[in-house]
Amino acid sequence: MLHPFLNYCPRRNLSFSYTGDDGDEESQCLKDINLYIPAGSVVVLVGHNGSGKSTLIQLLSQALQPSTGTILIDGCPSSEYSAASLRQSSAILAQDHQLLPFTLGENIGLGWASRYNDADLIREAAEKGGAKAFIEMYPAGYDTALNPYTLLETNQLIDADHPLNAEVAKVSQKLRLSGGEKQRVLA
C-alpha cells in the first residue's frame, strides 16, 4: 500500500530500461506509463511474468530511477522526497514474502525498525493488516514464536510427568501459517 495521504502520479511518459554489463540499454521494461493513483487507494498490479509489475513498484518506492519521465507525488517530483521517508510511509506486499524466526509481533514490528517493539503500534498494524483476529486466537498472541528453538530436551528430565515436559512440547511445535496469514502479518 502506498502512503494513504499522497497522490502518486507516474506521468510524462515514464519509461525504464535495464542496462547491460557494457552500460548500454539492454531491454526496455516499461514504456510510456501514464497513470494516477489517488490518495488512500489500494492498488493491485496484475500481469504476465516480465510485464514490469515489480519494476513499477521499485520505481514508485525509489529503489530504481526512471530512464525517462517523472514520478510526481502530490505534484512534486519524487526526487524531492527522501527515499527513506517514502519507504517508511509505504507498505509493499510482494508475492515473495518471508517471515523471520521471531514472534508474530516482532515480525510485524520490523516493518518500522526504529519502533519494532512498540506494542501499541504493532497491534494497530495487525488490525489494519487484517492479522489481529488470527493472532489473538493463539494463547501467546503477539508473543507466539514462528520457528522457536527448543531450549530444553525432554530426555534430560527424569520425571516424565514433570510440568516442563508440557512446556517443552509447546515450544518445540512449529507454527504453520497459511499464505494469506503470512501476507497479513507482513502487511
Side-chain angles (χ1 to χ4, degrees), residues 12-66:
R12 302 186 191 146
N13 301 320
L14 182 73
S15 297
F16 181 80
S17 297
Y18 287 99
T19 55
D21 293 336
D22 57 4
D24 292 336
E25 283 191 2
E26 189 172 278
S27 63
Q28 190 168 41
C29 181
L30 297 173
K31 182 178 180 183
D32 298 331
I33 301 295
N34 292 289
L35 62 100
Y36 175 75
I37 303 170
S41 296
V42 174
V43 177
V44 178
L45 299 176
V46 180
H48 295 286
N49 289 342
S51 63
K53 301 178 301 288
S54 296
T55 301
L56 181 58
I57 294 297
Q58 290 180 52
L59 288 165
L60 292 173
S61 65
Q62 288 192 354
L64 294 174
Q65 295 301 314

Side-chain angles (χ1 to χ4, degrees), residues 135-159:
I135 289 174
E136 292 181 352
M137 289 182 0
Y138 293 108
Y142 293 89
D143 293 327
T144 302
L146 291 173
N147 294 314
Y149 298 98
T150 303
L151 301 175
L152 297 172
E153 301 259 346
T154 54
N155 62 2
Q156 293 176 343
L157 299 173
I158 297 169
D159 182 4

Side-chain angles (χ1 to χ4, degrees), residues 139 148 150-155 157-174:
T150 303
L151 301 175
L152 297 172
E153 301 259 346
T154 54
N155 62 2
L157 299 173
I158 297 169
D159 182 4
D161 295 326
H162 194 283
L164 281 179
N165 285 323
E167 293 304 313
V168 169
K170 288 180 196 173
V171 169
S172 62
Q173 291 176 359
K174 186 175 181 179

